Amino acid sequence: MLTRQFGSNAGRAITLWLCTAAALGMATSQCARAQTQGPLPIQVNSDLVVVPVVALNTKQLSDNSLADPPCVEKIVASFRALSAATPFLPEVCDPGAVLGLTPQDFQVLDDGVEQTIGSVTIEPIPETIVRDNLGDHFDWSFATNGVWSSSDSQLGSELVRWSGVQYYSLTYTPRVQGGRDCHSIKVKIHRSHALVLAPFEYCYAAPSDPLNGSKLGERMGHGLTASEAGKIPLSLQVSFFFTDANRAGLHIALAFPGKALRRSWDLAWHAGAFDTLNAKIGVLGMIRRKDGAIATRFSDFGCCSGERPEFLVTSDPQPNDELHPLAELMALPTRYETQVDLPPGEYELQIVLSDGSKFGRVETPIVIDPYDGKELALSSIAICRRLRYASAAIPEARSVNLAPQYVPLISKGMVFTPSGDTTFSLKELQKEQFLYVYYEVYDSLLKSAPATTVQVRMRIINTTAKMLETDTGFRSAADWMRAGDSTIHVSQQIAVDKLQKGTYQIQVQAKDSAGGSTAWRTATFTVK
């Protein structure tokens, strides 16, 4: 039986799932200022600390007879019966967990000083199985607006067997206030056959930049200015969508090969019973204005832990090598998405991804046009390969509080995921049949003058062969319009059956019945 658990560095980030925390694993004053609209909002005082803790029953985990308990069989059966439009909301089934713990079962030391625990609650780990048009994979979050994704798999219900883990959330008010930026922490549990996984320290940092000041964050910062090229190949697509007058949400999609990430296995970690997967993967983004000044920065932790196990694998007691590839498939990310708010302007985005020993770096210019909220306008274009039913995706994310501030791109009941890599294999595209474009049209007249009509047009040009592939002409946008909404969420298919190898440019434009029209927006993809 394979059991996914979070500890140490991953545990430090768990608090970020519940609020916009300041630190790696501790909710402090920033949480009180930035509550989310997720299903598990928490109320905190400026001096409240929230510690994520996983408690494991080592005796049960080492018992191979628990490999397929009845609750797992029930969950797998229900998963197989689901339609793609129906959310997968499994009951909790974690035979390795220690249940029913109270504040009296724990001891917490903050900088060596014992603390009085205020409360102990159970929370779901923000991870969900995603079923989309390309297969099945895991999505998980450590920050309120960032989502990590694993490789695609056709294992389906086999992945279900290792989902649905929960953790304890411990709160306390430190006896000693202020002082150093970082504090050590130690959590003990007063139960026999119990192992506790918890963070070792917390540091005060910006809510959107939890790795700032950490060793991993420092290494990634050096990668931004390093003279040598990074060894991890990165692909990037950046799109923006207006959220208000002169305000845009930047959607950042990053892709990278999981096989390029450093990881290792420690065999027989606990009395010959467990193997542990070690990796330390993080991302750092820096957005600079035209004059070079920093507009904003962000960071996030993706996987796993070099100090405590991300995965526990039972063995017989020989090393369970056959489960290692599956564990890596589930744990190692291959994609990352996040969103950043910016005013109009010209920027330069730099992103570094690190696995703790080597890094990858990618850069791109960003131009966000002025937008007064009154004139007809277009967002940029997001090129997508993935889509899934919103009726399943939204409830699934909410049930585990997955990145509650992340805003999905939804059109006509489908969630579209921008591709970090916009270079596509011709063989894969022909099998999938379609690419998808997502963009938004903004027209305030749709509220003030509801009779206004809007039309959109899309052209696809083969820039390698210098020929027009597709021109839809102007067509009504009514199919994508919603009553009372001044934003039109447009999604269009690109049939790929006739595409040849080369580079293509997508062009979109909009106009309305009041005489308004937009300039062309463009995006580029390559078929190899």
Side-chain angles (χ1 to χ4, degrees), residues 152-225:
D152 291 305
S153 167
Q154 301 301 322
L155 292 174
S157 58
E158 292 302 311
L159 296 181
V160 176
R161 299 175 189 272
W162 303 297
S163 63
V165 180
Q166 295 184 319
Y167 69 97
Y168 287 95
S169 181
L170 282 60
T171 67
Y172 68 90
T173 300
R175 295 182 184 275
V176 179
Q177 301 292 325
R180 302 179 299 114
D181 289 338
C182 295
H183 300 265
S184 66
I185 186 171
K186 187 172 184 178
V187 180
K188 299 180 180 179
I189 186 170
H190 304 307
R191 285 285 186 98
S192 59
H193 304 296
L195 168 70
V196 64
L197 307 182
F200 292 136
E201 68 172 0
Y202 63 97
C203 304
Y204 292 91
S208 60
D209 196 11
L211 295 182
N212 192 7
S214 69
K215 292 182 180 179
L216 180 59
E218 290 176 0
R219 284 195 291 267
M220 291 190 294
H222 294 322
L224 286 175
T225 57

Side-chain angles (χ1 to χ4, degrees), residues 469-488:
E469 291 282 347
T470 302
D471 188 345
T472 65
F474 279 105
R475 53 180 295 194
S476 172
D479 284 348
W480 299 289
M481 294 170 62
R482 298 180 299 186
D485 192 348
S486 60
T487 299
I488 305 173

Side-chain angles (χ1 to χ4, degrees), residues 205-428:
S208 60
D209 196 11
L211 295 182
N212 192 7
S214 69
K215 292 182 180 179
L216 180 59
E218 290 176 0
R219 284 195 291 267
M220 291 190 294
H222 294 322
L224 286 175
T225 57
S227 57
E228 70 271 18
K231 294 183 178 180
I232 302 175
L234 302 182
S235 301
L236 176 68
Q237 181 181 190
V238 179
S239 314
F240 70 83
F241 306 94
F242 290 113
T243 57
D244 205 344
N246 286 323
R247 200 74 188 172
L250 201 66
H251 192 117
I252 299 167
L254 188 70
F256 43 93
K259 63 182 180 181
L261 302 176
R262 179 178 179 270
R263 67 276 203 176
S264 63
W265 283 90
D266 292 339
L267 306 182
W269 174 78
H270 183 72
F274 306 121
D275 302 340
T276 66
L277 171 63
N278 294 319
K280 193 168 289 188
I281 300 161
V283 65
L284 169 64
M286 192 81 70
I287 301 178
R288 298 183 183 274
R289 298 186 180 92
K290 191 176 181 180
D291 61 4
I294 297 176
T296 189
R297 53 173 284 164
F298 60 88
S299 63
D300 205 348
F301 182 80
C303 171
C304 301
S305 169
E307 299 156 331
R308 290 292 180 91
E310 166 77 7
F311 277 86
L312 305 180
V313 183
T314 60
S315 60
D316 284 328
Q318 299 301 316
N320 210 334
D321 293 337
E322 68 272 15
L323 288 181
H324 291 178
L326 177 58
E328 293 179 8
L329 177 72
M330 296 164 62
L332 295 175
T334 59
R335 302 186 302 280
Y336 179 69
E337 295 176 70
T338 192
Q339 295 168 337
V340 178
D341 285 340
L342 286 174
E346 296 183 32
Y347 303 93
E348 183 77 18
L349 169 64
Q350 295 178 300
I351 293 183
V352 167
L353 181 96
S354 174
D355 63 6
S357 63
K358 59 184 181 297
F359 69 91
R361 182 178 60 217
V362 64
E363 304 176 2
T364 189
I366 299 168
V367 179
I368 301 176
D369 301 327
Y371 172 58
D372 62 6
K374 300 176 182 178
E375 300 295 326
L376 181 69
L378 277 177
S379 71
S380 59
I381 303 168
I383 301 174
C384 312
R385 287 176 64 201
R386 300 177 180 275
L387 74 163
R388 62 187 301 227
Y389 287 96
S391 58
I394 302 306
E396 288 172 357
R398 287 176 177 170
S399 69
V400 295
N401 207 31
L402 181 78
Q405 292 182 347
Y406 175 88
V407 181
L409 306 181
I410 302 177
S411 173
K412 299 181 72 173
M414 304 299 292
V415 175
F416 291 83
T417 302
S419 298
D421 188 356
T422 55
T423 297
F424 307 110
S425 160
L426 180 60
K427 183 178 180 180
E428 288 180 342

